[in-house]
């Protein structure tokens, strides 16, 4: 009984330290996952001496955290932001996975003298990208919506095929002609289960009057977890079912939707923090020394060869400009997912699995630092970041569920083309209007002749139906001024 206060207090301190580390990591331009891993290592056998070396428990807890992270990713993904990138995103999360496994496996079979099964297993473990790592680095980069949407869809969808490939290779199953059909069934059935349960969950939550507001977020996340369980029990992809169920629910008109998304975001952060600290505890600094050379070799193969080839092959039908393909190649950061996947063959007792896990730790730490530090310069070198406008217009949304409306908060930067625009020139769509302007600490109700200035904060009330068009118009004027439409700027 006396241990309980110590355990709870220690856990709370670690959580608080991790939360404050988020701000620290943003200032340094580093993914917060590296700090969480560092906290876990400091708590482990090389630091405070906490011993944790159970691969089965690590795998189970890691997968549980991934389910929560994917649920949060689906719930907070806006369909209109990724709809234009649906084709490239699906191609990168399927075809690119296959190409990465084949290219990486062949290269490591030759370079590291691995047997074919273990070499392809390395490729499967390293084939998945990490959403948390990618988007913590994309903040403020000015990358267009199609590229960011492609990366977002890829990181949300590619965990499922990578997981299937790792399980098949770790089990040593014979390659038969029916294997592609099995994989197609797992992905297709997983997608169907996720979409169906997401739709059914949205219909139920709309019609059932729960006694407390806080129950809606719990019920929504529970639907995503049920989708995972149903997928796994149906011999399908539970990870894919989880993400798609969250995507459907997150874009449905749910009661108290704003509270649900806030809860999901907090749950996602908690899962990421817990997962990375757990993986840091599981890591052994002494063993990582042996993984440095193979890790650096494998990471270089993926970054410089396998990833570019997989992007080139999967993007052939979409004819993306070569600059965007180069950026997609560089932005494929690895994070917690490869580490969790590497625990699967370790739990199976596969020979060479420990070396794979140690190498993956080295890859995640070293190449996330390298790619993350150079992501901004690479985007500017390729001409993909908007010069002089490193940050997108700050538009925050507060849903007003009972009124069927949304309150947009718009902050006008010093370099925004909104500066000097008369309110009548903003020409917001029907159903949207600027209700308040906050300037120099004072607020007033604007009129058609009000001229906007840098530093202003606008409160825009819009119906749910007009929200997307209002946001696009505001962003278009922010980028190109009141004649944005004539200049071909749509605000996407």
């Amino acid at each position: 009984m006396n241990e309980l206060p110590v355990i709870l207090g220690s856990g709370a301190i670690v959580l608080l330290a991790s939360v404050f580390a988020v701000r620290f990591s943003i200032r340094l331009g580093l993914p917060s996952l590296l700090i969480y891993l560092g906290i876990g290592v400091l708590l482990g056998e090389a630091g405070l001496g906490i011993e944790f070396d159970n691969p089965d428990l690590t795998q189970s807890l890691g997968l549980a955290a991934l389910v929560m992270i994917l649920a949060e990713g689906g719930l907070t993904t806006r369909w209109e932001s990724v709809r234009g990138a649906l084709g490239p995103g699906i191609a990168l999360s399927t075809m690119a996975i296959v190409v990465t496994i084949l290219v990486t496996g062949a290269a490591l079979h030759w370079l590291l003298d691995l047997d074919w099964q273990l070499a392809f297993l390395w490729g499967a473990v390293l084939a998945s990208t990490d959403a948390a790592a990618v988007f913590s680095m994309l903040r403020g980069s000015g990358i267009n919506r199609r590229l960011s949407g492609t990366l977002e869809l890829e990181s949300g969808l590619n965990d499922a095929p990578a997981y299937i490939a790792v399980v098949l290779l770790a089990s040593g199953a014979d390659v038969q002609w029916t294997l592609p059909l099995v994989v197609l069934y797992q992905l297709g059935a997983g997608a169907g289960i996720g979409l169906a349960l997401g739709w059914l969950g949205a219909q139920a939550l709309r019609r059932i009057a729960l006694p407390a507001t806080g129950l809606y977020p719990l019920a929504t996340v529970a639907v995503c977890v049920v989708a995972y369980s149903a997928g796994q029990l149906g011999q399908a992809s539970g990870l894919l079912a989880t993400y798609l169920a969250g995507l459907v629910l997150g874009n449905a008109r749910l009661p108290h939707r704003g509270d649900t998304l806030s809860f999901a975001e907090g749950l996602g952060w908690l899962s990421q923090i817990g997962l990375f600290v757990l993986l840091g505890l599981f890591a052994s600094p002494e063993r990582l020394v042996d993984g440095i050379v193979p890790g650096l070799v494998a990471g270089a193969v993926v970054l410089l060869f396998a990833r570019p080839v997989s992007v080139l092959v999967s993007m052939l039908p979409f004819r993306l400009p070569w600059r965007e393909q180069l950026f997609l190649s560089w932005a494929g950061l690895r994070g917690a997912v490869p580490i969790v996947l590497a625990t699967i063959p370790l739990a199976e007792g596969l020979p060479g699995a420990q070396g794979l896990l140690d190498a993956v730790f080295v890859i995640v730490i070293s190449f996330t630092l390298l790619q993350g530090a150079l992501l901004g310069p690479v985007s500017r070198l390729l001409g993909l970041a908007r010069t002089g406008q490193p940050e997108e217009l700050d538009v925050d949304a507060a849903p007003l569920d009972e009124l069927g409306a949304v309150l947009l908060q718009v902050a006008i930067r010093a370099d925004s083309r909104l500066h000097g625009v008369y309110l009548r020139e903003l020409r917001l769509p029907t159903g949207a209007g600027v209700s308040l302007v906050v300037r120099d600490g004072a607020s007033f109700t604007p009129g058609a002749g009000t001229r906007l200035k840098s530093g202003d904060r606008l409160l825009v009330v819009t119906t749910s139906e007009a929200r997307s068009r209002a946001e696009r118009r505001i962003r278009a004027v922010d980028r190109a001024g009141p004649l944005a439409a004539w200049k071909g700027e749509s605000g996407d």
Side-chain angles (χ1 to χ4, degrees):
M1 182 66 69
N2 291 333
E3 295 180 354
L4 181 60
V6 176
I7 295 174
L8 291 179
S10 301
I13 291 173
V14 171
L15 180 59
L16 286 172
S18 301
V19 169
F20 289 124
V22 175
R23 185 62 181 171
F24 179 69
S25 68
I26 291 175
R27 288 184 176 180
L28 292 180
L30 299 175
S32 55
L33 69 91
L34 295 181
I35 296 179
Y36 305 152
L37 281 172
I39 292 174
V41 172
L42 289 176
L43 293 173
E45 59 186 43
L48 296 181
I50 300 176
E51 294 186 5
F52 181 77
D53 58 356
N54 190 326
D56 295 291
L57 182 58
T58 302
Q59 177 190 345
S60 299
L61 294 177
L63 287 174
L66 283 181
V67 170
M68 294 296 103
I69 293 170
L70 285 173
E72 184 266 340
L75 288 169
T76 56
T77 295
R78 292 184 59 190
W79 172 245
E80 67 172 30
S81 299
V82 300
R83 180 173 52 189
L86 186 60
I90 292 176
L92 279 178
S93 59
T94 51
M95 178 60 68
I97 292 290
V98 176
V99 175
T100 299
I101 294 173
L102 295 177
V103 173
T104 303
L108 296 183
H109 171 73
W110 177 61
L111 292 172
L112 299 180
D113 195 27
L114 302 175
D115 64 74
W116 283 108
Q117 179 189 0
L118 188 58
F120 286 133
L121 183 60
W122 278 58
V125 167
L126 297 174
S128 179
T129 59
D130 186 83
V134 168
F135 285 97
S136 65
M137 291 289 94
L138 284 179
R139 288 193 187 101
S141 63
I143 301 302
N144 66 56
R145 182 174 293 185
R146 180 176 63 175
L147 277 181
S148 61
T150 299
L151 289 168
E152 185 173 357
L153 274 178
E154 178 197 14
S155 59
L157 296 173
N158 67 5
D159 293 346
Y163 174 79
I164 293 172
V166 170
V167 170
L168 290 174
L169 289 167
S171 66
D174 295 333
V175 178
Q176 301 178 356
W177 68 270
T178 57
L179 184 60
L181 298 178
V182 172
V183 175
L184 287 176
Y185 163 77
Q186 291 182 337
L187 294 177
I193 291 171
L195 293 173
L197 287 179
W199 183 83
L200 290 173
Q203 300 304 312
L205 288 171
R206 284 182 194 167
R207 289 167 170 77
I208 298 177
L210 298 178
T213 301
L215 294 177
Y216 286 94
L218 290 174
T220 302
V221 173
V223 171
C224 297
V225 177
V226 168
Y228 171 78
S229 299
Q232 292 298 108
L233 293 175
Q235 302 299 313
S237 174
L239 296 178
L240 183 58
T242 302
Y243 180 76
L244 291 180
L247 185 63
V248 173
L249 287 165
N251 288 273
R253 296 181 181 177
L254 298 178
H256 307 288
R257 182 174 178 273
D259 295 331
T260 297
L261 297 185
S262 296
F263 175 81
E265 186 177 9
L267 185 61
W269 275 109
L270 179 62
S271 300
Q272 290 180 39
I273 291 171
L275 174 58
F276 296 141
V277 172
L278 172 71
L279 295 175
L281 271 173
F282 188 71
S284 172
E286 294 182 0
R287 291 199 312 266
L288 293 185
V289 175
D290 297 331
I292 291 178
V293 173
L296 293 178
V297 171
V301 167
V302 174
L303 175 63
L304 302 177
F305 189 48
R307 173 71 178 181
V309 171
S310 66
V311 170
L312 177 64
V313 172
S314 57
M315 292 297 101
L316 282 176
F318 307 101
R319 299 182 179 179
L320 260 64
W322 65 269
R323 291 183 178 85
E324 295 188 5
Q325 294 194 40
L326 283 179
F327 183 79
L328 290 175
S329 300
W330 187 262
L333 276 68
R334 270 67 190 169
V337 177
I339 302 177
V340 174
L341 294 180
T343 64
I344 296 175
L346 186 63
E348 294 287 336
L350 193 71
Q354 185 63 65
L356 168 60
L357 180 63
D358 297 337
V360 170
F361 269 108
V362 173
I363 292 169
V364 169
I365 295 171
S366 56
F367 283 87
T368 298
L369 283 171
L370 173 65
Q371 292 173 258
L374 296 180
L375 195 62
V378 167
S379 66
R380 291 190 290 271
L381 180 64
L382 295 174
L384 298 176
R386 293 192 295 142
T387 305
Q389 298 186 35
E391 296 185 0
E392 181 59 281
L393 181 68
D394 183 8
V395 180
D396 191 16
L400 307 174
D401 297 304
E402 295 181 359
L403 302 179
V406 177
L407 180 64
L408 304 179
Q409 305 175 52
V410 182
I412 301 180
R413 302 185 316 275
D415 56 354
S416 173
R417 296 290 183 87
L418 282 165
H419 175 75
V421 173
Y422 289 98
L423 201 57
R424 69 171 67 92
E425 296 175 321
L426 193 55
R427 297 198 305 278
L428 293 176
T430 302
V434 179
S435 61
L436 195 70
V437 175
V438 180
R439 178 179 298 168
D440 299 328
S443 58
F444 61 92
T445 303
T450 300
R451 197 173 190 182
L452 303 178
K453 295 183 179 180
S454 59
D456 286 354
R457 297 190 69 87
L458 315 180
L459 296 183
V460 181
V461 178
T462 171
T463 62
S464 300
E465 292 78 10
R467 170 184 173 174
S468 299
R469 287 175 290 141
E471 285 193 22
R472 287 197 296 269
R473 176 58 184 171
I474 293 171
R475 287 197 170 96
V477 179
D478 167 65
R479 298 171 185 173
L483 299 180
W486 289 91
K487 298 177 181 179
E489 175 59 67
S490 63
D492 288 332

